[in-house]
Amino acid sequence: MKDITLKQIAETLGISITTVSKALKNYPDVSAKTRKAVLDLANSLQYTPNSFAVNLRTKESRTIGLIIPEVVHHFFSNVINGIIAEAEKNGYLVIILQSNESLELEKKQVELLMSKRVDGIIMSLSNESNDDDHIKELIRREIPFVMFDKISKLVNCSKVIINDQKAAYNAVAHLINKGCKKIAHIRGPVNPQNAIDRFLGYKKALEKHDIVYNSKLVYTCDNVTFEEGKLFAEQIIKEHPDVDGVFVITDLVAVGVLDYFNEIGIKVPQQIKVIGFSNWFMSQVITPKLSTVDQPSYEMGVQSFCLLLEEMNCKKESLSFQPKTIELETKILERESTLEK
Amino acid sequence: MKDITLKQIAETLGISITTVSKALKNYPDVSAKTRKAVLDLANSLQYTPNSFAVNLRTKESRTIGLIIPEVVHHFFSNVINGIIAEAEKNGYLVIILQSNESLELEKKQVELLMSKRVDGIIMSLSNESNDDDHIKELIRREIPFVMFDKISKLVNCSKVIINDQKAAYNAVAHLINKGCKKIAHIRGPVNPQNAIDRFLGYKKALEKHDIVYNSKLVYTCDNVTFEEGKLFAEQIIKEHPDVDGVFVITDLVAVGVLDYFNEIGIKVPQQIKVIGFSNWFMSQVITPKLSTVDQPSYEMGVQSFCLLLEEMNCKKESLSFQPKTIELETKILERESTLEK
């Protein structure tokens, strides 16, 4: 059976389409008898109102867009989880697009979502993103917009973040408190603000504890992968065999580091201590269990949707909206990889 | 700046809305001069056509719905990845909904997607699903529909699956070939077809190798979690200390089993061999590395979208479509947890 339309209901009952439409919407100028006949027939035919048509009238699609760098990623899939859960509670659907860390694709997707007239957009920047034109266009068009995690400081919109610098500072201070004196840092790519901030936190922690910063101890990931973790671990051991601590941009890469150390028989935490970032699930099941920074990913998703909803509601009522930034707390999770000898 | 409409362009140029609309669509009955004026103004105003309006004319939303049990799940996030990638190539957007393994929520989401008039739906059933009425309704309404992984054999629609029984048979035969004589099975919940099939594969492999099946060696997960893996591992050791092999429904649960064995000092693979299912990323980084069945999750997503596209295209041309089933190959990945002593 094909979709039922208002026209078919009208023809079957011998009344006008307008009357059918009014009856379905409970308009008072339709008689109770007619309304009942329409509702009964619509029910028995299992009529579904066309949401895309409704959209033209209310100018709402009740759909939001989400652009993230990667779906297969413990942090991002937890954020998605939080966004979908909160959107559902509020009667919104979520279209998910993946930029694959490409600026070009990200720009295309912003345009696509605008053309789809989503009610709002939530986004975490790709690692390649180093210009904001496509995002400023969103703001110019007054499309409700929230950035989380990988944000641009130059864009005036709502944001949900953690204090990456402070969290990184705490992670490195944790290594120092556990006795580390020569600490390498495997950092994220050059562009993303959070990679910059975590690097700055690393540097600051060294300085505060009177350890001289040495740029040769900093290794930069291009793709933030497990394989890069293994590769840099090998390089660190070759170039600086006396390193006794490593602070790594994210757990996936840190797990690569541990894997290499396990392979060649370097004992963690006895010889080298390792701390990651973000608290991926696997970090608590590998050997040794990885110490890390707990980043509230699910909560980040929930808060991002809440901020977007606030802005969408303001727009609907033609009220002005002042962008907000929510900073969520992080904490150090001490596990086996940083235990004192 | 608010959204630009055809009306504003028409008013600015002093021509009719119809002419503007025709000019934007390159209709031949609009003069070249007028067309240029419209296009120039539309460009300078950054006019975006309203896709939801286009939808009313073409009856296409170029949007599909995807209902899966869980987003934070290595297998499903890889499937999502494959679906999004293939959808994007073909100009479709993907709305993702999560059933949280609840039948009630799954039913609600099917209705929601129907009311949104998506062009098609891809779905993997929740563990609770034991009736098909909501799905049969989709078929009755001729909405293009594909099921993958957790399917219902009773529904006549396209499917992308693996041969779970054969894959499980091979996994258990692998344990037997490595010398196991008393093999426990931690199975999935009662409803899902794939949990049933994997259990049947386990049973068949025992029979074929003249090992007597013992129902007391089968443990049933309710939620398929890491924690259940730890719990059942403890129970197995208490109730059957002479078990020398365990076949586990999925890697996440198998990692729980390994974690418990590590904790109490049971040596894998020397004392007990363990094999999982699905090849989650973490399986290759834990100690010992987990042997498993490689399930082509990304490819499952790609093929699901391709089948859906075929059906959507047939529907558009009013051609009849015969549902197809694609069975993808699996293979045993031998790692440390099943090595011979």
Side-chain angles (χ1 to χ4, degrees), chain A residues 24-307:
Chain A
L24 289 170
K25 282 173 212 143
N26 271 323
Y27 274 42
D29 56 344
V30 177
S31 75
K33 196 182 147 198
T34 305
R35 176 155 52 240
K36 191 176 177 311
V38 170
L39 291 180
D40 285 353
L41 182 60
N43 267 337
S44 70
L45 292 173
Q46 296 181 286
Y47 167 77
T48 323
N50 184 333
S51 304
F52 287 110
V54 170
N55 166 266
L56 284 180
R57 203 178 59 251
T58 63
K59 292 205 167 177
E60 266 190 290
S61 65
R62 301 293 282 186
T63 303
I64 67 158
L66 169 64
I67 303 175
I68 49 162
E70 276 184 85
V71 170
V72 187
H73 189 287
H74 192 259
F75 171 73
F76 285 119
S77 59
N78 272 297
V79 176
I80 294 176
N81 198 1
I83 291 175
I84 291 183
E86 198 61 26
E88 207 209 296
K89 256 195 236 163
N90 290 280
Y92 280 83
L93 291 177
V94 184
I95 289 175
I96 301 180
L97 295 169
Q98 185 171 246
S99 67
N100 289 326
E101 303 286 8
S102 145
L103 175 60
E104 195 197 346
L105 200 51
E106 183 182 289
K107 287 184 170 189
K108 227 181 86 187
Q109 292 171 338
V110 167
E111 273 180 35
L112 189 60
L113 288 176
M114 284 196 288
S115 80
K116 269 282 167 185
R117 302 278 166 115
V118 291
D119 295 337
I121 296 176
I122 298 176
M123 185 167 165
S124 187
L125 292 177
S126 75
N127 283 338
E128 264 188 31
S129 298
N130 54 5
D131 85 59
D132 302 325
D133 292 353
H134 55 310
I135 295 168
K136 287 185 176 147
E137 176 63 17
L138 281 175
I139 310 287
R140 204 181 62 75
R141 293 196 182 201
E142 296 177 12
I143 294 169
F145 180 61
V146 175
M147 277 203 255
F148 71 89
D149 191 46
K150 295 201 285 182
I151 59 146
S152 162
K153 287 195 172 165
L154 303 173
V155 176
N156 182 32
C157 69
S158 288
K159 288 159 197 160
V160 183
I161 51 170
I162 56 165
N163 187 329
D164 282 285
Q165 197 176 134
K166 189 172 131 194
Y169 178 96
N170 289 339
V172 176
H174 173 79
L175 289 174
I176 297 171
N177 291 336
K178 295 291 173 178
C180 296
K181 292 188 172 14
K182 187 163 184 179
I183 301 171
H185 176 34
I186 302 180
R187 61 162 288 167
V190 187
N191 286 324
Q193 188 62 50
N194 65 356
I196 297 168
D197 285 339
R198 290 179 200 174
F199 164 69
L200 293 175
Y202 159 77
K203 225 172 138 182
K204 203 165 158 189
L206 296 182
E207 280 160 15
K208 281 270 177 183
H209 293 84
D210 299 317
I211 299 178
V212 179
Y213 166 72
N214 174 0
S215 65
K216 290 195 174 132
L217 290 172
V218 178
Y219 297 80
T220 304
C221 290
D222 285 324
N223 304 309
V224 197
T225 60
F226 171 78
E227 288 73 22
E228 279 175 305
K230 292 191 78 160
L231 205 78
F232 287 135
E234 190 180 351
Q235 250 177 276
I236 288 170
I237 294 304
K238 264 193 202 139
E239 295 168 6
H240 309 280
D242 55 340
V243 154
D244 56 8
V246 189
F247 166 52
V248 192
I249 181 76
T250 194
D251 282 9
L252 179 63
V253 181
V255 168
V257 171
L258 289 183
D259 200 53
Y260 178 76
F261 288 168
N262 282 340
E263 256 177 47
I264 65 160
I266 286 182
K267 288 209 178 344
V268 177
Q270 294 84 348
Q271 288 172 263
I272 303 183
K273 298 188 202 310
V274 179
I275 189 163
F277 204 106
S278 207
N279 193 24
W280 290 42
F281 175 77
M282 66 179 157
S283 306
Q284 56 189 292
V285 298
I286 51 165
T287 308
K289 299 186 200 304
L290 179 69
S291 296
T292 189
V293 176
D294 188 41
Q295 199 181 2
S297 43
Y298 182 87
E299 185 60 18
M300 214 169 220
V302 170
Q303 294 299 337
S304 296
F305 183 82
C306 289
L307 279 184

